[in-house]
């Protein structure tokens, strides 16, 4: 049984949805005849086999994503963001459009959501929100729930590119400074050994953090969301599975890093950079904090470059030395050559030889 009631002159619908749950919904009109017409349409919807509500679609989608986490096909962090973004999106749609059904989604103007969020958070955060909403909409579109790409006309803000990269002189100066610190110290700092590893491999801090001395029984496969990194001492190689990409790189030329770290290894240590406070590895935030403290000490650098900037520097350095793009991508774990090219940062001097060929 449904009914109408007024609140501040606006008509509201009160009834039960397709799941039998009680709902109250603004009809967004002050005209009684129009309200009755809308009430009849809602009664018809709820009394027959009607399209799912947007709330139900989101609930089903989140459950689908949680099952993917259980199968190791998706990370907890990704689903955690889904569970934060999509309920906020539902709040906005309910405030702007009331209770929505699947066949009404084409009237949702997502640019309004974007503009409202930009008032509170950065474009980068808004871009992340919209990408999670886009994944949800793509999911229900593949299921045939909707037929249109609802975000097609909305420009999604892209993360700001980090173009601050050391030039060749600075890159070599940093490596030289690290070598000096390691050679002169009776017991080199672990952060200096870590930084040297990053400068010679282009590894992400997230990869270095979970680096193990040996492969564990769980460190296998390529198709799931779990990441792993381990050493193979017999072959002096690193196996890295990160962001669903698997790569194996030789590290014999810097094996002295691991020999030095091995001398201070405890028998129970699984990770190369183990935390003395826990049974696990040092966190990425700890690595990042220590990196920032040390890089400020290098006078030859024009600024305290982040580990990510050094990763860009490794790519640019290898390309400057004539290493093919596909090989560079294999070393640093890029998904395509296009990504590798985006990471390179050539300066005008690098192009002089090419221009000389034109005469």
């Amino acid at each position: 049984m449904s009914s109408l009631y007024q609140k501040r002159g606006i008509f509201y619908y009160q009834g039960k949805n397709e799941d039998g749950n009680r709902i109250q919904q603004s009809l967004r009109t002050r005209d009684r005849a129009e309200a009755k017409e809308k009430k009849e349409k809602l009664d018809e919807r709820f009394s027959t086999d009607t399209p799912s509500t947007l709330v139900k679609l989101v609930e089903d989608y989140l459950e689908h994503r949680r099952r993917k986490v259980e199968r190791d096909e998706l990370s907890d962090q990704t689903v955690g963001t889904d569970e934060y973004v999509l309920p906020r999106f539902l709040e906005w749609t309910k405030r702007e459009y009331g209770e929505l059904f699947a066949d009404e989604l084409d009237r949702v103007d997502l640019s309004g959501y974007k503009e409202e969020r930009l008032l509170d958070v950065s474009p980068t955060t808004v871009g992340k929100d919209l990408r999670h909403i886009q994944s949800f909409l793509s999911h229900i579109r593949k299921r045939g729930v909707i037929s249109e790409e609802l975000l097609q006309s909305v420009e999604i803000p892209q993360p700001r590119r980090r173009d601050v990269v050391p030039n060749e002189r600075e890159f070599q100066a940093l490596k030289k400074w690290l070598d000096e610190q390691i050679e002169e110290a009776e017991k080199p700092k672990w952060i200096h050994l870590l930084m040297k590893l990053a400068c010679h491999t282009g590894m992400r801090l997230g990869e270095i953090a979970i680096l193990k001395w040996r492969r564990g029984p769980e460190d296998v496969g390529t198709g799931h969301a779990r990441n792993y990194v381990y050493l193979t001492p017999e072959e002096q190689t690193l196996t890295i599975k990160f962001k669903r990409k698997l790569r194996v790189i030789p590290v014999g030329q810097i094996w002295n890093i691991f020999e030095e770290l091995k001398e201070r290894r405890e028998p129970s240590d699984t990770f190369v950079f183990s935390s003395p406070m826990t049974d696990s590895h040092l966190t990425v935030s700890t690595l990042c904090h220590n990196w920032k403290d040390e890089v400020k000490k290098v006078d030859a650098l024009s600024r305290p470059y982040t580990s990510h900037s050094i990763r860009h520097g490794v790519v640019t350095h290898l390309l400057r030395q004539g290493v093919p793009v596909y090989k560079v991508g294999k070393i640093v774990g890029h998904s395509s050559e296009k990504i590798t090219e985006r990471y390179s940062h050539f300066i005008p001097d690098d192009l002089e030889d090419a221009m000389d060929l034109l005469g």
Side-chain angles (χ1 to χ4, degrees):
M1 188 71 179
S2 65
S3 61
L4 291 174
Y5 70 94
Q6 279 184 291
K7 185 177 180 180
R8 300 189 190 90
I10 303 295
F11 280 94
Y12 283 75
Y13 173 87
Q14 181 172 278
K16 293 185 177 181
N17 62 17
E18 71 272 23
D19 297 322
N21 299 318
R22 184 180 175 184
I23 64 167
Q24 292 177 319
Q25 177 178 331
S26 170
L27 298 179
R28 296 174 173 269
T29 181
R30 297 176 183 271
D31 184 83
R32 182 174 293 275
E34 185 180 355
K36 285 183 176 180
E37 184 179 339
K38 289 185 175 183
K39 174 182 176 296
E40 290 174 1
K41 289 183 179 180
L42 287 173
D43 286 340
E44 184 180 351
R45 275 188 179 280
F46 291 132
S47 63
T48 60
D49 186 15
T50 60
S52 295
T53 62
L54 179 58
V55 172
K56 185 70 165 59
L57 290 172
V58 168
E59 288 175 352
D60 291 345
Y61 174 72
L62 290 176
E63 183 59 33
H64 164 74
R65 301 282 271 184
R66 293 184 193 110
R67 288 196 297 269
K68 294 191 76 171
V69 171
E70 293 173 0
R71 298 195 300 267
D72 272 339
E73 296 174 357
L74 206 62
S75 71
D76 285 319
Q77 183 178 357
T78 299
V79 177
T81 306
D82 284 335
E83 292 173 336
Y84 173 77
V85 171
L86 293 176
R88 179 184 290 274
F89 172 62
L90 283 177
E91 290 176 8
W92 177 81
T93 58
K94 192 167 186 178
R95 189 170 66 250
E96 295 294 320
Y97 299 95
E99 188 82 13
L100 281 173
F101 293 85
D103 58 352
E104 296 177 314
L105 290 177
D106 58 351
R107 67 188 180 94
V108 175
D109 181 10
L110 287 168
S111 62
Y113 173 82
K114 172 185 172 182
E115 291 168 5
E116 183 175 304
R117 285 292 280 153
L118 282 172
L119 297 175
D120 300 321
V121 295
S122 69
T124 299
T125 300
V126 174
K128 185 167 77 170
D129 284 9
L130 290 174
R131 281 188 287 276
H132 280 266
I133 294 170
Q134 187 177 50
S135 294
F136 161 67
L137 295 175
S138 297
H139 172 77
I140 63 175
R141 187 182 179 194
K142 288 177 182 177
R143 291 176 51 202
V145 176
I146 58 175
S147 57
E148 300 295 327
E149 178 53 70
L150 302 182
L151 270 169
Q152 189 172 8
S153 60
V154 180
E155 182 180 354
I156 299 178
Q158 298 300 312
R160 281 179 277 183
R161 290 186 57 186
R162 298 178 180 178
D163 290 333
V164 180
V165 179
N167 57 37
E168 187 67 14
R169 179 188 58 77
E170 290 181 306
F171 183 68
Q172 295 298 340
L174 174 59
K175 292 203 297 182
K176 181 180 178 182
W177 182 85
L178 288 170
D179 286 338
E180 290 173 351
Q181 301 305 307
I182 293 170
E183 291 170 6
E184 294 173 4
E186 182 177 344
K187 184 179 179 181
K189 292 183 178 180
W190 65 265
I191 186 60
H192 292 157
L193 297 169
L194 180 148
M195 293 172 72
K196 181 173 180 178
L197 176 61
C199 287
H200 284 266
T201 62
M203 291 174 69
R204 306 172 178 94
L205 281 189
E207 295 171 338
I208 295 177
I210 61 175
L211 172 59
K212 293 180 180 178
W213 287 106
R214 286 268 182 186
R215 173 181 170 179
E218 70 281 4
D219 302 328
V220 63
T222 59
H224 48 63
R226 190 191 308 115
N227 298 318
Y228 53 83
V229 185
Y230 61 83
L231 288 166
T232 305
E234 298 81 6
E235 300 173 3
Q236 296 191 346
T237 59
L238 262 175
T239 298
I240 305 171
K241 192 271 177 176
F242 206 82
K243 293 189 175 181
R244 301 197 177 201
K245 299 297 176 185
L246 180 67
R247 67 191 194 273
V248 180
I249 58 175
V251 287
Q253 74 280 12
I254 52 169
W255 195 251
N256 62 314
I257 292 175
F258 304 108
E259 293 290 351
E260 183 65 44
L261 289 166
K262 192 174 182 180
E263 291 183 7
R264 61 193 79 177
R265 179 190 179 188
E266 295 294 333
S268 60
D269 287 348
T270 299
F271 298 95
V272 173
F273 296 98
S274 292
S275 169
M277 307 299 292
T278 68
D279 293 331
S280 187
H281 55 76
L282 292 172
T283 63
V284 174
S285 60
T286 298
L287 302 186
C288 187
H289 177 75
N290 280 271
W291 179 294
K292 288 180 179 178
D293 285 345
E294 292 303 313
V295 80
K296 291 175 183 177
K297 302 175 183 177
V298 188
D299 295 332
L301 301 183
S302 59
R303 64 186 69 217
Y305 291 105
T306 65
S307 62
H308 195 76
S309 293
I310 297 304
R311 178 171 163 82
H312 281 248
V314 169
V315 172
T316 303
H317 170 71
L318 290 175
L319 292 175
R320 279 176 174 148
Q321 304 307 310
V323 179
V325 172
Y326 79 93
K327 283 189 177 182
V328 177
K330 289 288 186 183
I331 292 171
V332 297
H334 287 158
S335 57
S336 69
E337 292 184 12
K338 185 177 181 181
I339 298 296
T340 306
E341 290 171 351
R342 188 186 304 168
Y343 264 58
S344 66
H345 300 267
F346 287 104
I347 58 176
D349 290 347
D350 295 320
L351 305 178
E352 284 186 2
D353 291 345
M355 296 303 295
D356 287 343
L357 296 175
L358 296 175

